[in-house]
Amino acid sequence: LWTPTESTNGEFVFTVVDFGPNGVFDGGDDVQDVIRLTPTSTPALVPGQWISVDIPFSQLPALTTRGAIAQFVTAGGLETFFIDNIYFHN
């Protein structure tokens, strides 16, 4: 993740959404969990630097299913940001 400026609200929120066992959006079994990056988080949200964010699924307890991950939703106070190379790995 890279951004040229500080967040206007102090954070960048990245939500991972799984459509549940039926694999259908809004099918009644969707689950999601949130990662929040701030200037004091690990890793820290630092303007002008690429940061690598490794998130073990164990840190996303509300993401109870993972077979139909279909959305990555971003929010927060960054007007400009770049995300490159999203990987799932063991």
Side-chain angles (χ1 to χ4, degrees), residues 2-71:
W2 185 88
T3 182
T5 60
E6 291 188 15
S7 172
T8 58
N9 69 353
E11 69 180 5
F12 178 78
V13 179
F14 189 76
T15 304
V16 181
V17 181
D18 184 276
F19 285 173
N22 69 7
V24 176
F25 170 72
D26 208 17
D29 57 357
D30 299 7
V31 294
Q32 65 184 21
D33 211 338
V34 175
I35 299 107
R36 294 182 190 281
L37 299 175
T38 68
T40 60
S41 65
T42 302
L45 185 59
V46 180
Q49 281 185 11
W50 278 101
I51 62 168
S52 179
V53 182
D54 290 327
I55 304 154
F57 281 127
S58 62
Q59 290 182 0
L60 301 171
L63 196 66
T64 56
T65 59
R66 299 179 190 116
I69 293 177
Q71 292 182 336

